[in-house]
Amino acid sequence: ITSFAPAGGATRLAVSRNAVSNKSSICFRSKSARSGGARNLQLNTVCRAGGPKQIPVVVNGAAGKMGRELVRAISQARGLELVGAVDVVHVGEDAGEVAGLDEPLEIPISNELPIVLTSVAQDKDRDGVLVDFSEPSSVMETFKQSIAFGIRPVVGTTGYSAKDLQDMVDYCDKATMGAIVSPSYSIGLAAMRQAAETAVFHYNHVEIFESNSDFSLDAPSQNAIITANNLSGLGRLYNKPPKGVTQGTDNGARGQLGEDGLRVHSTFSPGTLAEQEIRFSAAGEQLSFKHTVSDYGAYVPGVIMAIRRVVNIKTFVYGIERLL
């Protein structure tokens, strides 16, 4: 992974495309657990180990909005077994009840992540997965702990740096373990990016528009940066003014400008969870791809896909579009 600062100072991440299907990918996130919950977790794992092998999954950040969605989905997904739930709130409470399930899962939320990972690592017959949707401040520590215990991380938080990503790659390479990191697990967004990669060769004017409800996100967001990176580095220059026309100064009003002329426009909108549009223009026509997320449940199918895929790869994957 390399990084550079395009015009305007935004960081660009360029990920080598050699992880999955000759393309790319990555992973991360974090929190804690309680010893009593960990003992119950170990019992749970041993009791269910018989029969067809299921993938044991720990959710870190289980009491958050995304964590609750995942607890509900993983507990009902074929081939997956929820064996641990970690967070710093609702400690000791049943993860299923916190997630709004009708019946308890008999899995208490713990605030001691290492204890939970130790319990899962004792099952040598199955490859465990840690799904991390906790706090950006603990992403790297959680990632390192997961790899150290031999448990594959699937990371869904944001806020990591280019150096953090490179460190993740190095950890996976040293351990020969797979990991998946993605700022978004929306399959719809991934499909839109793939379509855009086909269209981009036919248009010289390309702009990216995004809107997010989280005001704390960087602008442009890591999701927009991934989309821009996918369309950059192709030997093309975008949005050049017509011959004989001198472009006036815009003071940033025309969006964040990348090295190849690609522009990214970022806005804050509390009415939409996340929205991204890729707009292609040519003489007499305009082509737009637009993706909108209005509910956290939209990310669940992508996370489930990542859990099932990460146990079969031995490298670092950044962005779920590389898994499709």
Side-chain angles (χ1 to χ4, degrees), residues 22-86:
N22 294 324
K23 295 204 174 176
S24 67
S25 275
I26 301 188
C27 103
F28 77 99
R29 206 109 170 102
S30 148
K31 283 212 176 186
S32 291
R34 192 169 78 167
S35 57
R39 284 194 291 271
N40 290 339
L41 166 64
Q42 184 176 0
L43 239 171
N44 210 14
T45 305
V46 173
C47 290
R48 300 181 187 176
K53 286 187 178 181
Q54 294 181 305
I55 300 173
V57 182
V58 174
V59 175
N60 190 26
K65 292 179 180 178
M66 190 64 204
R68 297 181 192 206
E69 293 279 357
L70 290 171
V71 166
R72 291 194 292 268
I74 293 170
S75 65
Q76 300 171 21
R78 183 179 60 184
L80 306 184
E81 180 185 0
L82 183 69
V83 296
V86 181

Side-chain angles (χ1 to χ4, degrees), residues 1 25-30 132 135-136 138-144 147 153-182 185 222 314-318:
I1 298 178
S25 275
I26 301 188
C27 103
F28 77 99
R29 206 109 170 102
S30 148
D132 189 12
E135 295 298 322
S138 55
V139 165
M140 290 307 298
E141 184 60 28
T142 299
F143 191 91
K144 288 189 289 185
I147 294 293
V154 170
V155 181
T157 194
T158 58
Y160 40 84
S161 66
K163 182 183 182 302
D164 291 336
L165 292 178
Q166 184 59 64
D167 288 343
M168 291 179 188
V169 173
D170 294 340
Y171 294 140
C172 289
D173 287 346
K174 290 176 182 177
T176 319
M177 282 183 58
I180 297 173
V181 176
S182 184
Y185 281 86
Q222 288 177 321
K314 297 184 180 299
T315 188
F316 180 80
V317 175
Y318 186 64

Side-chain angles (χ1 to χ4, degrees), residues 191-273:
M192 182 182 75
R193 286 171 176 157
Q194 289 185 335
E197 288 183 47
T198 299
V200 73
F201 291 99
H202 305 283
Y203 295 89
N204 293 324
H205 293 269
V206 183
E207 308 215 19
I208 299 168
F209 300 82
E210 70 165 350
S211 180
N212 295 286
S213 62
D214 187 351
F215 193 73
S216 66
L217 288 177
D218 292 336
S221 69
Q222 288 177 321
N223 271 322
I225 290 173
I226 288 180
T227 301
N229 286 350
N230 289 353
L231 304 179
S232 300
L234 302 175
R236 300 176 61 79
L237 293 177
Y238 305 108
N239 305 317
K240 294 174 62 178
K243 280 187 176 182
V245 176
T246 301
Q247 182 171 312
T249 58
D250 57 29
N251 297 318
R254 293 194 177 99
Q256 177 70 53
L257 182 64
E259 286 189 341
D260 51 10
L262 192 66
R263 293 183 179 272
V264 180
H265 309 258
S266 299
T267 63
F268 168 68
S269 175
T272 302
L273 190 58

